[in-house]
Amino acid sequence: GVDSPLKVFFMMRSRFLFAYRNRNWMERKICFLYLLLLVFPRDCFKYLFNRRFDLILASIKGILSYFMMNKTEKLDNNEFKFSYLWP
């Protein structure tokens, strides 16, 4: 479908969140490096080629949002207490 800033924001944040929830510490570090060093630059080049600078900003916000999440406090149903940047 058509890329929107909201879709790109949540897709980027969800990639990191998926790795955090479903990988052990070593696989998590490898996955984060993969996402930061290969996937993010690939997406940025794709958005630059299409002149979609708003999507680059949404990707950056998605990454920052993940790293700013409060992942230490758990809620009752094993969900995270989110505190993140809105796109």
Side-chain angles (χ1 to χ4, degrees):
V2 177
D3 286 333
S4 70
L6 191 64
K7 177 183 171 185
V8 170
F9 170 83
F10 282 112
M11 180 66 73
M12 187 61 72
R13 193 189 71 174
S14 295
R15 288 172 177 163
F16 283 93
L17 192 56
F18 180 83
Y20 179 81
R21 288 182 175 177
N22 296 305
R23 303 286 182 232
N24 64 29
W25 69 273
M26 187 61 176
E27 291 173 346
R28 188 180 304 145
K29 301 301 180 202
I30 293 170
C31 191
F32 286 170
L33 285 174
Y34 169 75
L35 290 171
L36 286 172
L37 298 177
L38 293 176
V39 174
F40 175 64
R42 179 202 65 196
D43 289 348
C44 283
F45 285 126
K46 181 175 73 170
Y47 302 145
L48 278 172
F49 183 74
N50 294 327
R51 296 180 188 216
R52 292 296 307 266
F53 304 109
D54 57 332
L55 299 182
I56 295 172
L57 184 61
S59 294
I60 293 169
K61 283 185 180 180
I63 292 170
L64 291 177
S65 173
Y66 168 77
F67 286 110
M68 292 177 65
M69 277 184 189
N70 185 0
K71 294 177 285 290
T72 57
E73 294 183 32
K74 301 275 184 153
L75 296 178
D76 293 338
N77 59 353
N78 203 17
E79 294 288 327
F80 294 127
K81 180 179 178 183
F82 293 119
S83 58
Y84 53 85
L85 295 171
W86 195 251

mmCIF file with all atom_site columns, all heavy atoms in Angstrom, residues 49-70:
data_model
loop_
_atom_site.group_PDB
_atom_site.id
_atom_site.type_symbol
_atom_site.label_atom_id
_atom_site.label_alt_id
_atom_site.label_comp_id
_atom_site.label_asym_id
_atom_site.label_entity_id
_atom_site.label_seq_id
_atom_site.pdbx_PDB_ins_code
_atom_site.Cartn_x
_atom_site.Cartn_y
_atom_site.Cartn_z
_atom_site.occupancy
_atom_site.B_iso_or_equiv
_atom_site.pdbx_formal_charge
_atom_site.auth_seq_id
_atom_site.auth_comp_id
_atom_site.auth_asym_id
_atom_site.auth_atom_id
_atom_site.pdbx_PDB_model_num
ATOM 1   N N   . PHE A 1 49 ? 15.098 8.604  -2.604 1.00 0.00 ? 49 PHE A N   1
ATOM 2   C CA  . PHE A 1 49 ? 14.900 8.431  -4.040 1.00 0.00 ? 49 PHE A CA  1
ATOM 3   C C   . PHE A 1 49 ? 13.500 8.881  -4.458 1.00 0.00 ? 49 PHE A C   1
ATOM 4   O O   . PHE A 1 49 ? 13.315 9.454  -5.520 1.00 0.00 ? 49 PHE A O   1
ATOM 5   C CB  . PHE A 1 49 ? 15.139 6.963  -4.423 1.00 0.00 ? 49 PHE A CB  1
ATOM 6   C CG  . PHE A 1 49 ? 15.024 6.699  -5.883 1.00 0.00 ? 49 PHE A CG  1
ATOM 7   C CD1 . PHE A 1 49 ? 16.026 7.112  -6.762 1.00 0.00 ? 49 PHE A CD1 1
ATOM 8   C CD2 . PHE A 1 49 ? 13.924 6.037  -6.393 1.00 0.00 ? 49 PHE A CD2 1
ATOM 9   C CE1 . PHE A 1 49 ? 15.914 6.882  -8.121 1.00 0.00 ? 49 PHE A CE1 1
ATOM 10  C CE2 . PHE A 1 49 ? 13.801 5.798  -7.745 1.00 0.00 ? 49 PHE A CE2 1
ATOM 11  C CZ  . PHE A 1 49 ? 14.805 6.224  -8.616 1.00 0.00 ? 49 PHE A CZ  1
ATOM 12  N N   . ASN A 1 50 ? 12.521 8.608  -3.599 1.00 0.00 ? 50 ASN A N   1
ATOM 13  C CA  . ASN A 1 50 ? 11.142 9.000  -3.885 1.00 0.00 ? 50 ASN A CA  1
ATOM 14  C C   . ASN A 1 50 ? 10.794 10.396 -3.358 1.00 0.00 ? 50 ASN A C   1
ATOM 15  O O   . ASN A 1 50 ? 9.634  10.802 -3.452 1.00 0.00 ? 50 ASN A O   1
ATOM 16  C CB  . ASN A 1 50 ? 10.176 7.979  -3.278 1.00 0.00 ? 50 ASN A CB  1
ATOM 17  C CG  . ASN A 1 50 ? 10.296 6.640  -3.948 1.00 0.00 ? 50 ASN A CG  1
ATOM 18  O OD1 . ASN A 1 50 ? 10.565 6.558  -5.138 1.00 0.00 ? 50 ASN A OD1 1
ATOM 19  N ND2 . ASN A 1 50 ? 10.120 5.576  -3.194 1.00 0.00 ? 50 ASN A ND2 1
ATOM 20  N N   . ARG A 1 51 ? 11.783 11.093 -2.803 1.00 0.00 ? 51 ARG A N   1
ATOM 21  C CA  . ARG A 1 51 ? 11.619 12.446 -2.248 1.00 0.00 ? 51 ARG A CA  1
ATOM 22  C C   . ARG A 1 51 ? 10.529 12.496 -1.184 1.00 0.00 ? 51 ARG A C   1
ATOM 23  O O   . ARG A 1 51 ? 9.739  13.426 -1.138 1.00 0.00 ? 51 ARG A O   1
ATOM 24  C CB  . ARG A 1 51 ? 11.334 13.452 -3.350 1.00 0.00 ? 51 ARG A CB  1
ATOM 25  C CG  . ARG A 1 51 ? 12.480 13.574 -4.309 1.00 0.00 ? 51 ARG A CG  1
ATOM 26  C CD  . ARG A 1 51 ? 12.186 14.562 -5.382 1.00 0.00 ? 51 ARG A CD  1
ATOM 27  N NE  . ARG A 1 51 ? 13.236 14.496 -6.379 1.00 0.00 ? 51 ARG A NE  1
ATOM 28  C CZ  . ARG A 1 51 ? 13.692 15.537 -7.014 1.00 0.00 ? 51 ARG A CZ  1
ATOM 29  N NH1 . ARG A 1 51 ? 13.202 16.719 -6.779 1.00 0.00 ? 51 ARG A NH1 1
ATOM 30  N NH2 . ARG A 1 51 ? 14.638 15.392 -7.906 1.00 0.00 ? 51 ARG A NH2 1
ATOM 31  N N   . ARG A 1 52 ? 10.539 11.500 -0.294 1.00 0.00 ? 52 ARG A N   1
ATOM 32  C CA  . ARG A 1 52 ? 9.580  11.436 0.811  1.00 0.00 ? 52 ARG A CA  1
ATOM 33  C C   . ARG A 1 52 ? 10.334 11.700 2.115  1.00 0.00 ? 52 ARG A C   1
ATOM 34  O O   . ARG A 1 52 ? 10.615 10.804 2.901  1.00 0.00 ? 52 ARG A O   1
ATOM 35  C CB  . ARG A 1 52 ? 8.908  10.066 0.859  1.00 0.00 ? 52 ARG A CB  1
ATOM 36  C CG  . ARG A 1 52 ? 7.995  9.751  -0.274 1.00 0.00 ? 52 ARG A CG  1
ATOM 37  C CD  . ARG A 1 52 ? 6.776  10.670 -0.345 1.00 0.00 ? 52 ARG A CD  1
ATOM 38  N NE  . ARG A 1 52 ? 6.030  10.743 0.896  1.00 0.00 ? 52 ARG A NE  1
ATOM 39  C CZ  . ARG A 1 52 ? 4.987  9.998  1.195  1.00 0.00 ? 52 ARG A CZ  1
ATOM 40  N NH1 . ARG A 1 52 ? 4.548  9.117  0.337  1.00 0.00 ? 52 ARG A NH1 1
ATOM 41  N NH2 . ARG A 1 52 ? 4.376  10.138 2.350  1.00 0.00 ? 52 ARG A NH2 1
ATOM 42  N N   . PHE A 1 53 ? 10.671 12.948 2.343  1.00 0.00 ? 53 PHE A N   1
ATOM 43  C CA  . PHE A 1 53 ? 11.446 13.326 3.516  1.00 0.00 ? 53 PHE A CA  1
ATOM 44  C C   . PHE A 1 53 ? 10.648 13.167 4.800  1.00 0.00 ? 53 PHE A C   1
ATOM 45  O O   . PHE A 1 53 ? 11.218 12.959 5.872  1.00 0.00 ? 53 PHE A O   1
ATOM 46  C CB  . PHE A 1 53 ? 11.949 14.764 3.366  1.00 0.00 ? 53 PHE A CB  1
ATOM 47  C CG  . PHE A 1 53 ? 12.748 14.969 2.107  1.00 0.00 ? 53 PHE A CG  1
ATOM 48  C CD1 . PHE A 1 53 ? 12.238 15.713 1.063  1.00 0.00 ? 53 PHE A CD1 1
ATOM 49  C CD2 . PHE A 1 53 ? 13.987 14.382 1.962  1.00 0.00 ? 53 PHE A CD2 1
ATOM 50  C CE1 . PHE A 1 53 ? 12.962 15.889 -0.099 1.00 0.00 ? 53 PHE A CE1 1
ATOM 51  C CE2 . PHE A 1 53 ? 14.727 14.548 0.793  1.00 0.00 ? 53 PHE A CE2 1
ATOM 52  C CZ  . PHE A 1 53 ? 14.215 15.307 -0.245 1.00 0.00 ? 53 PHE A CZ  1
ATOM 53  N N   . ASP A 1 54 ? 9.323  13.236 4.700  1.00 0.00 ? 54 ASP A N   1
ATOM 54  C CA  . ASP A 1 54 ? 8.483  13.028 5.872  1.00 0.00 ? 54 ASP A CA  1
ATOM 55  C C   . ASP A 1 54 ? 8.586  11.597 6.388  1.00 0.00 ? 54 ASP A C   1
ATOM 56  O O   . ASP A 1 54 ? 8.493  11.348 7.594  1.00 0.00 ? 54 ASP A O   1
ATOM 57  C CB  . ASP A 1 54 ? 7.027  13.380 5.563  1.00 0.00 ? 54 ASP A CB  1
ATOM 58  C CG  . ASP A 1 54 ? 6.465  12.584 4.389  1.00 0.00 ? 54 ASP A CG  1
ATOM 59  O OD1 . ASP A 1 54 ? 7.252  12.182 3.502  1.00 0.00 ? 54 ASP A OD1 1
ATOM 60  O OD2 . ASP A 1 54 ? 5.240  12.381 4.357  1.00 0.00 ? 54 ASP A OD2 1
ATOM 61  N N   . LEU A 1 55 ? 8.843  10.645 5.493  1.00 0.00 ? 55 LEU A N   1
ATOM 62  C CA  . LEU A 1 55 ? 8.973  9.252  5.901  1.00 0.00 ? 55 LEU A CA  1
ATOM 63  C C   . LEU A 1 55 ? 10.318 8.990  6.580  1.00 0.00 ? 55 LEU A C   1
ATOM 64  O O   . LEU A 1 55 ? 10.412 8.136  7.465  1.00 0.00 ? 55 LEU A O   1
ATOM 65  C CB  . LEU A 1 55 ? 8.783  8.317  4.711  1.00 0.00 ? 55 LEU A CB  1
ATOM 66  C CG  . LEU A 1 55 ? 7.417  8.405  4.024  1.00 0.00 ? 55 LEU A CG  1
ATOM 67  C CD1 . LEU A 1 55 ? 7.340  7.401  2.893  1.00 0.00 ? 55 LEU A CD1 1
ATOM 68  C CD2 . LEU A 1 55 ? 6.292  8.203  5.011  1.00 0.00 ? 55 LEU A CD2 1
ATOM 69  N N   . ILE A 1 56 ? 11.337 9.719  6.178  1.00 0.00 ? 56 ILE A N   1
ATOM 70  C CA  . ILE A 1 56 ? 12.635 9.607  6.863  1.00 0.00 ? 56 ILE A CA  1
ATOM 71  C C   . ILE A 1 56 ? 12.494 10.094 8.297  1.00 0.00 ? 56 ILE A C   1
ATOM 72  O O   . ILE A 1 56 ? 12.969 9.450  9.239  1.00 0.00 ? 56 ILE A O   1
ATOM 73  C CB  . ILE A 1 56 ? 13.725 10.396 6.109  1.00 0.00 ? 56 ILE A CB  1
ATOM 74  C CG1 . ILE A 1 56 ? 13.971 9.780  4.735  1.00 0.00 ? 56 ILE A CG1 1
ATOM 75  C CG2 . ILE A 1 56 ? 15.019 10.427 6.918  1.00 0.00 ? 56 ILE A CG2 1
ATOM 76  C CD1 . ILE A 1 56 ? 14.881 10.584 3.854  1.00 0.00 ? 56 ILE A CD1 1
ATOM 77  N N   . LEU A 1 57 ? 11.821 11.219 8.463  1.00 0.00 ? 57 LEU A N   1
ATOM 78  C CA  . LEU A 1 57 ? 11.594 11.754 9.802  1.00 0.00 ? 57 LEU A CA  1
ATOM 79  C C   . LEU A 1 57 ? 10.750 10.789 10.636 1.00 0.00 ? 57 LEU A C   1
ATOM 80  O O   . LEU A 1 57 ? 11.019 10.580 11.823 1.00 0.00 ? 57 LEU A O   1
ATOM 81  C CB  . LEU A 1 57 ? 10.915 13.124 9.711  1.00 0.00 ? 57 LEU A CB  1
ATOM 82  C CG  . LEU A 1 57 ? 10.688 13.849 11.017 1.00 0.00 ? 57 LEU A CG  1
ATOM 83  C CD1 . LEU A 1 57 ? 12.012 14.120 11.721 1.00 0.00 ? 57 LEU A CD1 1
ATOM 84  C CD2 . LEU A 1 57 ? 9.939  15.136 10.763 1.00 0.00 ? 57 LEU A CD2 1
ATOM 85  N N   . ALA A 1 58 ? 9.757  10.169 10.040 1.00 0.00 ? 58 ALA A N   1
ATOM 86  C CA  . ALA A 1 58 ? 8.925  9.198  10.757 1.00 0.00 ? 58 ALA A CA  1
ATOM 87  C C   . ALA A 1 58 ? 9.743  7.974  11.177 1.00 0.00 ? 58 ALA A C   1
ATOM 88  O O   . ALA A 1 58 ? 9.541  7.440  12.269 1.00 0.00 ? 58 ALA A O   1
ATOM 89  C CB  . ALA A 1 58 ? 7.748  8.778  9.891  1.00 0.00 ? 58 ALA A CB  1
ATOM 90  N N   . SER A 1 59 ? 10.678 7.542  10.339 1.00 0.00 ? 59 SER A N   1
ATOM 91  C CA  . SER A 1 59 ? 11.552 6.415  10.698 1.00 0.00 ? 59 SER A CA  1
ATOM 92  C C   . SER A 1 59 ? 12.432 6.767  11.882 1.00 0.00 ? 59 SER A C   1
ATOM 93  O O   . SER A 1 59 ? 12.600 5.967  12.804 1.00 0.00 ? 59 SER A O   1
ATOM 94  C CB  . SER A 1 59 ? 12.440 6.022  9.521  1.00 0.00 ? 59 SER A CB  1
ATOM 95  O OG  . SER A 1 59 ? 11.692 5.508  8.468  1.00 0.00 ? 59 SER A OG  1
ATOM 96  N N   . ILE A 1 60 ? 13.000 7.955  11.857 1.00 0.00 ? 60 ILE A N   1
ATOM 97  C CA  . ILE A 1 60 ? 13.848 8.403  12.963 1.00 0.00 ? 60 ILE A CA  1
ATOM 98  C C   . ILE A 1 60 ? 13.034 8.490  14.245 1.00 0.00 ? 60 ILE A C   1
ATOM 99  O O   . ILE A 1 60 ? 13.479 8.057  15.312 1.00 0.00 ? 60 ILE A O   1
ATOM 100 C CB  . ILE A 1 60 ? 14.504 9.757  12.614 1.00 0.00 ? 60 ILE A CB  1
ATOM 101 C CG1 . ILE A 1 60 ? 15.492 9.565  11.466 1.00 0.00 ? 60 ILE A CG1 1
ATOM 102 C CG2 . ILE A 1 60 ? 15.205 10.353 13.828 1.00 0.00 ? 60 ILE A CG2 1
ATOM 103 C CD1 . ILE A 1 60 ? 16.009 10.853 10.866 1.00 0.00 ? 60 ILE A CD1 1
ATOM 104 N N   . LYS A 1 61 ? 11.824 9.033  14.157 1.00 0.00 ? 61 LYS A N   1
ATOM 105 C CA  . LYS A 1 61 ? 10.968 9.122  15.333 1.00 0.00 ? 61 LYS A CA  1
ATOM 106 C C   . LYS A 1 61 ? 10.601 7.737  15.851 1.00 0.00 ? 61 LYS A C   1
ATOM 107 O O   . LYS A 1 61 ? 10.502 7.532  17.060 1.00 0.00 ? 61 LYS A O   1
ATOM 108 C CB  . LYS A 1 61 ? 9.698  9.903  15.013 1.00 0.00 ? 61 LYS A CB  1
ATOM 109 C CG  . LYS A 1 61 ? 9.894  11.385 14.960 1.00 0.00 ? 61 LYS A CG  1
ATOM 110 C CD  . LYS A 1 61 ? 8.553  12.068 14.747 1.00 0.00 ? 61 LYS A CD  1
ATOM 111 C CE  . LYS A 1 61 ? 8.695  13.565 14.693 1.00 0.00 ? 61 LYS A CE  1
ATOM 112 N NZ  . LYS A 1 61 ? 7.378  14.209 14.493 1.00 0.00 ? 61 LYS A NZ  1
ATOM 113 N N   . GLY A 1 62 ? 10.403 6.774  14.954 1.00 0.00 ? 62 GLY A N   1
ATOM 114 C CA  . GLY A 1 62 ? 10.090 5.414  15.378 1.00 0.00 ? 62 GLY A CA  1
ATOM 115 C C   . GLY A 1 62 ? 11.232 4.775  16.145 1.00 0.00 ? 62 GLY A C   1
ATOM 116 O O   . GLY A 1 62 ? 11.016 4.113  17.160 1.00 0.00 ? 62 GLY A O   1
ATOM 117 N N   . ILE A 1 63 ? 12.456 4.989  15.679 1.00 0.00 ? 63 ILE A N   1
ATOM 118 C CA  . ILE A 1 63 ? 13.627 4.450  16.375 1.00 0.00 ? 63 ILE A CA  1
ATOM 119 C C   . ILE A 1 63 ? 13.780 5.124  17.732 1.00 0.00 ? 63 ILE A C   1
ATOM 120 O O   . ILE A 1 63 ? 13.987 4.464  18.754 1.00 0.00 ? 63 ILE A O   1
ATOM 121 C CB  . ILE A 1 63 ? 14.890 4.633  15.515 1.00 0.00 ? 63 ILE A CB  1
ATOM 122 C CG1 . ILE A 1 63 ? 14.814 3.752  14.275 1.00 0.00 ? 63 ILE A CG1 1
ATOM 123 C CG2 . ILE A 1 63 ? 16.143 4.299  16.316 1.00 0.00 ? 63 ILE A CG2 1
ATOM 124 C CD1 . ILE A 1 63 ? 15.883 4.025  13.253 1.00 0.00 ? 63 ILE A CD1 1
ATOM 125 N N   . LEU A 1 64 ? 13.684 6.447  17.759 1.00 0.00 ? 64 LEU A N   1
ATOM 126 C CA  . LEU A 1 64 ? 13.811 7.168  19.031 1.00 0.00 ? 64 LEU A CA  1
ATOM 127 C C   . LEU A 1 64 ? 12.697 6.782  19.997 1.00 0.00 ? 64 LEU A C   1
ATOM 128 O O   . LEU A 1 64 ? 12.932 6.661  21.203 1.00 0.00 ? 64 LEU A O   1
ATOM 129 C CB  . LEU A 1 64 ? 13.786 8.673  18.781 1.00 0.00 ? 64 LEU A CB  1
ATOM 130 C CG  . LEU A 1 64 ? 14.992 9.254  18.055 1.00 0.00 ? 64 LEU A CG  1
ATOM 131 C CD1 . LEU A 1 64 ? 14.797 10.747 17.820 1.00 0.00 ? 64 LEU A CD1 1
ATOM 132 C CD2 . LEU A 1 64 ? 16.268 8.990  18.831 1.00 0.00 ? 64 LEU A CD2 1
ATOM 133 N N   . SER A 1 65 ? 11.522 6.577  19.474 1.00 0.00 ? 65 SER A N   1
ATOM 134 C CA  . SER A 1 65 ? 10.389 6.189  20.310 1.00 0.00 ? 65 SER A CA  1
ATOM 135 C C   . SER A 1 65 ? 10.650 4.854  20.993 1.00 0.00 ? 65 SER A C   1
ATOM 136 O O   . SER A 1 65 ? 10.350 4.688  22.174 1.00 0.00 ? 65 SER A O   1
ATOM 137 C CB  . SER A 1 65 ? 9.132  6.111  19.463 1.00 0.00 ? 65 SER A CB  1
ATOM 138 O OG  . SER A 1 65 ? 8.083  5.584  20.205 1.00 0.00 ? 65 SER A OG  1
ATOM 139 N N   . TYR A 1 66 ? 11.207 3.901  20.261 1.00 0.00 ? 66 TYR A N   1
ATOM 140 C CA  . TYR A 1 66 ? 11.503 2.610  20.875 1.00 0.00 ? 66 TYR A CA  1
ATOM 141 C C   . TYR A 1 66 ? 12.515 2.770  21.996 1.00 0.00 ? 66 TYR A C   1
ATOM 142 O O   . TYR A 1 66 ? 12.338 2.225  23.083 1.00 0.00 ? 66 TYR A O   1
ATOM 143 C CB  . TYR A 1 66 ? 12.036 1.605  19.848 1.00 0.00 ? 66 TYR A CB  1
ATOM 144 C CG  . TYR A 1 66 ? 12.611 0.405  20.543 1.00 0.00 ? 66 TYR A CG  1
ATOM 145 C CD1 . TYR A 1 66 ? 11.762 -0.560 21.069 1.00 0.00 ? 66 TYR A CD1 1
ATOM 146 C CD2 . TYR A 1 66 ? 13.974 0.271  20.749 1.00 0.00 ? 66 TYR A CD2 1
ATOM 147 C CE1 . TYR A 1 66 ? 12.269 -1.639 21.767 1.00 0.00 ? 66 TYR A CE1 1
ATOM 148 C CE2 . TYR A 1 66 ? 14.477 -0.799 21.448 1.00 0.00 ? 66 TYR A CE2 1
ATOM 149 C CZ  . TYR A 1 66 ? 13.630 -1.743 21.958 1.00 0.00 ? 66 TYR A CZ  1
ATOM 150 O OH  . TYR A 1 66 ? 14.135 -2.791 22.659 1.00 0.00 ? 66 TYR A OH  1
ATOM 151 N N   . PHE A 1 67 ? 13.584 3.492  21.747 1.00 0.00 ? 67 PHE A N   1
ATOM 152 C CA  . PHE A 1 67 ? 14.640 3.606  22.748 1.00 0.00 ? 67 PHE A CA  1
ATOM 153 C C   . PHE A 1 67 ? 14.227 4.464  23.939 1.00 0.00 ? 67 PHE A C   1
ATOM 154 O O   . PHE A 1 67 ? 14.859 4.388  24.989 1.00 0.00 ? 67 PHE A O   1
ATOM 155 C CB  . PHE A 1 67 ? 15.931 4.129  22.116 1.00 0.00 ? 67 PHE A CB  1
ATOM 156 C CG  . PHE A 1 67 ? 16.616 3.077  21.292 1.00 0.00 ? 67 PHE A CG  1
ATOM 157 C CD1 . PHE A 1 67 ? 16.649 3.174  19.915 1.00 0.00 ? 67 PHE A CD1 1
ATOM 158 C CD2 . PHE A 1 67 ? 17.199 1.978  21.883 1.00 0.00 ? 67 PHE A CD2 1
ATOM 159 C CE1 . PHE A 1 67 ? 17.263 2.199  19.150 1.00 0.00 ? 67 PHE A CE1 1
ATOM 160 C CE2 . PHE A 1 67 ? 17.810 0.992  21.138 1.00 0.00 ? 67 PHE A CE2 1
ATOM 161 C CZ  . PHE A 1 67 ? 17.847 1.110  19.757 1.00 0.00 ? 67 PHE A CZ  1
ATOM 162 N N   . MET A 1 68 ? 13.180 5.272  23.787 1.00 0.00 ? 68 MET A N   1
ATOM 163 C CA  . MET A 1 68 ? 12.698 6.076  24.908 1.00 0.00 ? 68 MET A CA  1
ATOM 164 C C   . MET A 1 68 ? 11.601 5.372  25.703 1.00 0.00 ? 68 MET A C   1
ATOM 165 O O   . MET A 1 68 ? 11.155 5.879  26.723 1.00 0.00 ? 68 MET A O   1
ATOM 166 C CB  . MET A 1 68 ? 12.174 7.421  24.397 1.00 0.00 ? 68 MET A CB  1
ATOM 167 C CG  . MET A 1 68 ? 13.278 8.304  23.860 1.00 0.00 ? 68 MET A CG  1
ATOM 168 S SD  . MET A 1 68 ? 12.661 9.838  23.169 1.00 0.00 ? 68 MET A SD  1
ATOM 169 C CE  . MET A 1 68 ? 12.003 10.609 24.632 1.00 0.00 ? 68 MET A CE  1
ATOM 170 N N   . MET A 1 69 ? 11.165 4.199  25.247 1.00 0.00 ? 69 MET A N   1
ATOM 171 C CA  . MET A 1 69 ? 10.117 3.462  25.954 1.00 0.00 ? 69 MET A CA  1
ATOM 172 C C   . MET A 1 69 ? 10.599 3.039  27.332 1.00 0.00 ? 69 MET A C   1
ATOM 173 O O   . MET A 1 69 ? 11.767 2.725  27.524 1.00 0.00 ? 69 MET A O   1
ATOM 174 C CB  . MET A 1 69 ? 9.736  2.196  25.186 1.00 0.00 ? 69 MET A CB  1
ATOM 175 C CG  . MET A 1 69 ? 8.776  2.384  24.108 1.00 0.00 ? 69 MET A CG  1
ATOM 176 S SD  . MET A 1 69 ? 8.386  0.760  23.442 1.00 0.00 ? 69 MET A SD  1
ATOM 177 C CE  . MET A 1 69 ? 7.456  1.252  22.034 1.00 0.00 ? 69 MET A CE  1
ATOM 178 N N   . ASN A 1 70 ? 9.673  2.989  28.254 1.00 0.00 ? 70 ASN A N   1
ATOM 179 C CA  . ASN A 1 70 ? 9.963  2.479  29.589 1.00 0.00 ? 70 ASN A CA  1
ATOM 180 C C   . ASN A 1 70 ? 9.676  0.987  29.572 1.00 0.00 ? 70 ASN A C   1
ATOM 181 O O   . ASN A 1 70 ? 8.541  0.562  29.739 1.00 0.00 ? 70 ASN A O   1
ATOM 182 C CB  . ASN A 1 70 ? 9.089  3.205  30.606 1.00 0.00 ? 70 ASN A CB  1
ATOM 183 C CG  . ASN A 1 70 ? 9.420  2.804  32.014 1.00 0.00 ? 70 ASN A CG  1
ATOM 184 O OD1 . ASN A 1 70 ? 10.308 1.989  32.242 1.00 0.00 ? 70 ASN A OD1 1
ATOM 185 N ND2 . ASN A 1 70 ? 8.699  3.352  32.970 1.00 0.00 ? 70 ASN A ND2 1
#
